[in-house]
Amino acid sequence: MANDLSAYFLTNHERHLNELSEWLSIPSISSLSAHKKDTVKGAEWIVRELKRIGMEKVEVYPTQGHPVVYAERLHAKEKPTVLVYGHYDVQPVDPLHLWESDPFKPAIRDNKIYARGATDDKGQTFMHLKVVEALLKEHGELPVNIKFLIEGEEEIGSINLPEFVEKNQELLFTDVIVISDTGMQEKGQPALCYGLRGLAGLQIDVKGAKGDLHSGQFGGAVQNALHALVHLLDSFRNEDGVIQVERFYDKVKDLEDEEKKVHDSLQFSDKELKKELEVNDLAGEKGFSTLERMWVRPTLEINGMWGGYQGEGLKTVLPNEAHAKITCRLVPDQDPDEIIRLLTAHIEAHTPAGVTVAVTVYDKGAPYVAPYDHPAIQAAGRSYEKIYDVPVQYIRRGGTIPIVAEFDQILKKPVVLMGFGLPGENFHAPNEHFHLENFDYGLRVITDYLQELPKALEKSNDLTQKL
């Protein structure tokens, strides 16, 4: 039944890309206050589109930050309900000079669409809208009940969405949650993600003397804030990449043998990764494979550090301030709040004399692992295999989608991570792009999945909602 929409997608291909380009042109950068109005415009665009394709009860819900967009269409009696989650906010674009084209003027080159948000996550969310549009235009009805929940704060940790979900559980009641905000291992090789690492992020601000000091007059007698920061940051890991924060690993479980076999079956190549990234060697926690370090081991990374004189030439000062941002990727059963407490205690214990340190907490998100033998997830795997004509891979991902664990804990329904991005598509980096081959395949995979899901859940007696 999915094939009968292929002609529709082909006929409307150019129109779809033009519509997507409109959305991608909106600089909805949630982390920058200067783009607050643009972020609202990003929400308004998706509202208009949801109404146009035939969704009902399209609403904008304000939060303490950026608004949440909701829509539904619930006419498929005795069929399951699918909640599609996505986000309309995007990352900042710096460094701008590394972009080959304007990040908010979408450009198509080599069958890829280049723009901020092309793959993360406007492009992938957009596919779900086009599938709903196609089904309604060609069949006049949907094979399932559909709800959309599209937020504007994913890139800043989905700060306000958990409260919205908690307060609106009845509105968001569903049988399955579907998210397209992950990716595949390589071109032509579909993959279903069943696990994500969590996140704990903070900023460290080191303060020394009342102001910058002359390095000749005071050097050797007064603490240099940059030296203090370097000493503090160096205390986080040893030479084997093992994190030295006390009790950091207390809740980290070893990988089960069965899952190790799954990893081995992927035939991951360190050599190919080094080639792709243009590095002469890989690094990380000693005693674990690269996939384990990227997917199932926790990390502590310095994301940025600054302080002192950075202009042309030399300025001989003792900087009185230094700053760093760090994030930890977490694995089950690590708790982000507990990790923040452990990090803060470590910082306090390792602060050198002569400076004071302030800690500001930023993004947090719990890790998530799904039961990948769930019928809803297995049905998605079959849809991938039908359209791509190759066996699907079941993988974890090292990144974080903050709301996924919240969905699991609050709504208590399976989360199906149907991603179509590729590792080299530069999400969060200059020249972000989305392969249009996967855009085309993705439309067909999602269509097939929505049509096959009722049968999969009916067989498992997992359908919980009767309309």
Side-chain angles (χ1 to χ4, degrees):
M1 199 173 169
N3 289 337
D4 65 352
L5 291 183
S6 296
Y8 177 90
F9 293 133
L10 181 61
T11 301
N12 290 276
H13 182 76
E14 186 173 351
R15 174 177 66 84
H16 288 169
L17 293 183
N18 288 336
E19 292 168 354
L20 175 58
S21 294
E22 287 181 15
W23 199 21
L24 292 172
S25 298
I26 302 171
S28 47
I29 305 172
S30 56
S31 63
L32 301 179
S33 58
H35 286 279
K36 185 173 183 177
K37 290 183 178 179
D38 294 317
T39 307
V40 172
K41 288 179 181 177
E44 292 172 343
W45 190 94
I46 199 68
V47 165
R48 290 193 300 271
E49 184 64 11
L50 285 166
K51 289 179 178 178
R52 191 189 66 77
I53 67 174
M55 293 301 295
E56 300 167 346
K57 200 178 178 182
V58 182
E59 302 282 353
V60 177
Y61 289 88
T63 71
Q64 294 183 12
H66 302 301
V68 170
V69 177
Y70 172 83
E72 64 182 36
R73 191 175 179 97
L74 309 177
H75 298 295
K77 292 184 179 181
E78 304 297 324
K79 300 296 184 181
T81 298
V82 176
L83 175 65
V84 177
Y85 163 85
H87 63 92
Y88 62 83
D89 65 319
V90 300
Q91 282 276 328
V93 298
D94 58 306
L96 187 59
H97 70 277
L98 295 181
W99 285 80
E100 295 178 11
S101 54
D102 190 313
F104 295 111
K105 291 182 179 178
I108 295 177
R109 302 190 294 272
D110 301 323
N111 203 36
K112 307 167 191 173
I113 184 165
Y114 285 79
R116 174 58 89 225
T119 188
D120 182 20
D121 177 44
K122 289 180 178 178
Q124 297 203 61
T125 297
F126 181 77
M127 291 191 297
H128 289 272
L129 274 69
K130 296 298 99 177
V131 168
V132 169
E133 175 191 80
L135 286 166
L136 288 175
K137 282 186 175 295
E138 294 297 293
H139 299 323
E141 60 183 4
L142 300 178
V144 295
N145 300 288
I146 288 277
K147 296 179 179 180
F148 280 98
L149 180 65
I150 304 175
E151 68 155 322
E153 296 185 331
E154 195 275 345
E155 299 293 5
I156 53 174
S158 297
I159 304 169
N160 294 293
L161 193 58
E163 181 181 0
F164 177 85
V165 174
E166 186 73 49
K167 290 181 177 179
N168 292 277
Q169 293 183 52
E170 185 175 349
L171 178 71
L172 300 175
F173 187 84
T174 187
D175 294 290
V176 177
I177 302 159
V178 175
I179 302 175
S180 293
D181 194 14
T182 52
M184 313 189 308
Q185 285 293 88
E186 58 183 306
K187 188 176 180 180
Q189 175 57 67
L192 262 170
C193 178
Y194 65 91
L196 297 165
R197 290 193 291 193
L199 182 68
L202 53 81
Q203 180 170 312
I204 302 171
D205 298 300
V206 177
K207 179 73 166 61
K210 64 181 180 179
D212 287 354
L213 301 176
H214 190 289
S215 67
Q217 185 175 358
F218 295 100
V222 177
Q223 182 66 269
N224 181 319
L226 276 171
H227 281 294
L229 177 63
V230 169
H231 172 81
L232 180 56
L233 295 177
D234 189 54
S235 73
F236 280 124
R237 300 196 309 196
N238 67 14
E239 62 273 12
D240 291 328
V242 179
I243 295 166
Q244 300 298 290
V245 176
E246 188 175 357
R247 297 181 57 208
F248 186 87
Y249 292 103
D250 280 4
K251 296 182 179 179
V252 178
K253 298 177 181 178
D254 292 333
L255 196 64
E256 298 287 344
D257 289 342
E258 181 181 349
E259 195 166 1
K260 283 185 178 181
K261 292 178 182 177
V262 172
H263 286 190
D264 292 341
S265 71
L266 299 177
Q267 298 181 334
F268 181 85
S269 169
D270 284 8
K271 182 178 179 181
E272 288 300 316
L273 181 61
K274 288 188 286 187
K275 181 180 179 182
E276 178 188 340
L277 300 179
E278 298 180 9
V279 296
N280 59 21
D281 207 352
L282 300 177
E285 189 181 2
K286 190 175 180 180
F288 297 93
S289 70
T290 300
L291 277 186
E292 286 178 301
R293 296 199 300 263
M294 292 195 302
W295 290 358
V296 300
R297 296 297 297 173
T299 67
L300 189 156
E301 299 289 352
I302 303 168
N303 306 122
M305 52 191 298
W306 67 98
Y309 179 68
Q310 299 176 44
E312 185 178 356
L314 190 66
K315 185 179 182 182
T316 54
V317 295
L318 298 180
N320 77 314
E321 290 185 6
H323 313 270
K325 295 180 187 289
I326 67 170
T327 53
C328 296
R329 298 291 176 170
L330 311 179
V331 300
D333 297 296
Q334 289 182 302
D335 175 64
D337 291 318
E338 181 180 15
I339 294 299
I340 290 292
R341 289 194 295 270
L342 296 178
L343 291 172
T344 303
H346 180 93
I347 291 167
E348 291 173 351
H350 290 79
T351 297
V355 297
T356 58
V357 174
V359 173
T360 303
V361 178
Y362 285 107
D363 293 359
K364 290 188 295 183
Y368 172 76
V369 176
Y372 59 84
D373 59 348
H374 190 283
I377 296 176
Q378 290 295 312
R382 291 193 295 273
S383 293
Y384 272 114
E385 291 177 350
K386 185 183 299 185
I387 302 304
Y388 280 87
D389 198 29
V390 295
V392 69
Q393 293 178 337
Y394 291 90
I395 65 173
R396 289 208 205 184
R397 279 292 179 197
T400 307
I401 304 176
I403 197 59
V404 169
E406 300 285 350
F407 280 147
D408 178 51
Q409 295 165 10
I410 299 171
L411 299 181
K412 303 186 187 304
K413 297 298 178 182
V415 180
V416 182
L417 297 165
M418 297 183 68
F420 299 93
L422 290 175
E425 289 182 335
N426 293 351
F427 41 91
H428 292 207
N431 300 309
E432 178 181 350
H433 57 278
F434 189 23
H435 281 67
L436 295 181
E437 173 186 289
N438 286 329
F439 178 83
D440 297 333
Y441 277 123
L443 292 170
R444 296 166 58 201
V445 171
I446 295 167
T447 302
D448 186 82
Y449 180 61
L450 295 183
Q451 293 169 333
E452 295 300 318
L453 185 61
K455 290 184 287 186
L457 293 185
E458 184 179 357
K459 288 179 181 178
S460 70
N461 296 317
D462 202 64
L463 181 58
T464 59
Q465 183 179 22
K466 300 292 185 182
L467 296 179

